[in-house]
PDB file of all heavy atoms in Angstrom:
ATOM      1  N   PHE A 311      21.266   8.076   2.076  1.00 98.00           N
ATOM      2  CA  PHE A 311      22.068   8.973   1.308  1.00 98.00           C
ATOM      3  C   PHE A 311      21.303  10.332   1.313  1.00 98.00           C
ATOM      4  O   PHE A 311      20.148  10.419   1.027  1.00 98.00           O
ATOM      5  CB  PHE A 311      22.097   8.562  -0.254  1.00 98.00           C
ATOM      6  CG  PHE A 311      22.718   7.130  -0.363  1.00 98.00           C
ATOM      7  CD1 PHE A 311      22.029   6.050  -0.335  1.00 98.00           C
ATOM      8  CD2 PHE A 311      24.126   7.069  -0.541  1.00 98.00           C
ATOM      9  CE1 PHE A 311      22.672   4.781  -0.488  1.00 98.00           C
ATOM     10  CE2 PHE A 311      24.673   5.895  -0.649  1.00 98.00           C
ATOM     11  CZ  PHE A 311      23.952   4.719  -0.630  1.00 98.00           C
ATOM     12  N   THR A 312      22.031  11.408   1.672  1.00 97.00           N
ATOM     13  CA  THR A 312      21.402  12.635   1.562  1.00 97.00           C
ATOM     14  C   THR A 312      22.606  13.609   1.118  1.00 97.00           C
ATOM     15  O   THR A 312      23.643  13.151   0.902  1.00 97.00           O
ATOM     16  CB  THR A 312      20.862  13.222   2.999  1.00 97.00           C
ATOM     17  OG1 THR A 312      20.115  14.369   2.627  1.00 97.00           O
ATOM     18  CG2 THR A 312      21.742  13.272   3.993  1.00 97.00           C
ATOM     19  N   ASP A 313      22.343  14.996   1.170  1.00 91.00           N
ATOM     20  CA  ASP A 313      23.485  15.813   0.661  1.00 91.00           C
ATOM     21  C   ASP A 313      23.833  16.816   1.764  1.00 91.00           C
ATOM     22  O   ASP A 313      23.365  16.825   2.869  1.00 91.00           O
ATOM     23  CB  ASP A 313      22.764  16.674  -0.553  1.00 91.00           C
ATOM     24  CG  ASP A 313      21.736  17.498  -0.254  1.00 91.00           C
ATOM     25  OD1 ASP A 313      21.807  18.402   0.545  1.00 91.00           O
ATOM     26  OD2 ASP A 313      20.492  17.305  -0.804  1.00 91.00           O
ATOM     27  N   GLY A 314      24.893  17.653   1.438  1.00 85.00           N
ATOM     28  CA  GLY A 314      25.478  18.393   2.433  1.00 85.00           C
ATOM     29  C   GLY A 314      24.609  19.323   3.296  1.00 85.00           C
ATOM     30  O   GLY A 314      24.952  19.582   4.439  1.00 85.00           O
ATOM     31  N   ARG A 315      23.450  19.688   2.845  1.00 81.00           N
ATOM     32  CA  ARG A 315      22.428  20.440   3.600  1.00 81.00           C
ATOM     33  C   ARG A 315      22.093  19.813   4.891  1.00 81.00           C
ATOM     34  O   ARG A 315      21.654  20.340   5.801  1.00 81.00           O
ATOM     35  CB  ARG A 315      21.344  20.864   2.764  1.00 81.00           C
ATOM     36  CG  ARG A 315      21.554  21.831   1.695  1.00 81.00           C
ATOM     37  CD  ARG A 315      20.283  21.873   0.757  1.00 81.00           C
ATOM     38  NE  ARG A 315      19.869  20.656   0.238  1.00 81.00           N
ATOM     39  CZ  ARG A 315      18.566  20.382  -0.324  1.00 81.00           C
ATOM     40  NH1 ARG A 315      17.766  21.300  -0.507  1.00 81.00           N
ATOM     41  NH2 ARG A 315      18.385  19.242  -0.798  1.00 81.00           N
ATOM     42  N   TYR A 316      22.095  18.488   4.937  1.00 88.00           N
ATOM     43  CA  TYR A 316      21.541  17.712   5.886  1.00 88.00           C
ATOM     44  C   TYR A 316      22.551  16.946   6.722  1.00 88.00           C
ATOM     45  O   TYR A 316      22.132  15.993   7.433  1.00 88.00           O
ATOM     46  CB  TYR A 316      20.404  16.771   5.322  1.00 88.00           C
ATOM     47  CG  TYR A 316      19.311  17.583   4.745  1.00 88.00           C
ATOM     48  CD1 TYR A 316      19.072  17.653   3.342  1.00 88.00           C
ATOM     49  CD2 TYR A 316      18.304  18.139   5.630  1.00 88.00           C
ATOM     50  CE1 TYR A 316      18.000  18.426   2.847  1.00 88.00           C
ATOM     51  CE2 TYR A 316      17.345  18.858   5.130  1.00 88.00           C
ATOM     52  CZ  TYR A 316      17.182  18.949   3.654  1.00 88.00           C
ATOM     53  OH  TYR A 316      16.070  19.746   3.174  1.00 88.00           O
ATOM     54  N   THR A 317      23.758  17.301   6.632  1.00 88.00           N
ATOM     55  CA  THR A 317      24.838  16.487   7.380  1.00 88.00           C
ATOM     56  C   THR A 317      24.546  16.298   8.777  1.00 88.00           C
ATOM     57  O   THR A 317      24.408  15.286   9.352  1.00 88.00           O
ATOM     58  CB  THR A 317      26.190  17.100   7.215  1.00 88.00           C
ATOM     59  OG1 THR A 317      26.429  17.330   5.811  1.00 88.00           O
ATOM     60  CG2 THR A 317      27.427  16.340   7.734  1.00 88.00           C
ATOM     61  N   ALA A 318      24.368  17.542   9.465  1.00 85.00           N
ATOM     62  CA  ALA A 318      24.178  17.396  10.895  1.00 85.00           C
ATOM     63  C   ALA A 318      22.789  16.805  11.260  1.00 85.00           C
ATOM     64  O   ALA A 318      22.692  15.929  12.154  1.00 85.00           O
ATOM     65  CB  ALA A 318      24.226  18.793  11.461  1.00 85.00           C
ATOM     66  N   GLN A 319      21.771  17.192  10.489  1.00 88.00           N
ATOM     67  CA  GLN A 319      20.402  16.562  10.787  1.00 88.00           C
ATOM     68  C   GLN A 319      20.437  15.117  10.543  1.00 88.00           C
ATOM     69  O   GLN A 319      19.773  14.365  11.458  1.00 88.00           O
ATOM     70  CB  GLN A 319      19.519  17.344   9.929  1.00 88.00           C
ATOM     71  CG  GLN A 319      18.010  16.980  10.221  1.00 88.00           C
ATOM     72  CD  GLN A 319      17.018  17.746   9.270  1.00 88.00           C
ATOM     73  OE1 GLN A 319      17.397  18.802   8.650  1.00 88.00           O
ATOM     74  NE2 GLN A 319      15.696  17.308   9.254  1.00 88.00           N
TER      75      GLN A 319
END
Side-chain angles (χ1 to χ4, degrees):
Chain A
F311 302 88
T312 186
D313 60 68
R315 293 172 299 168
Y316 294 104
T317 308
Q319 188 176 343

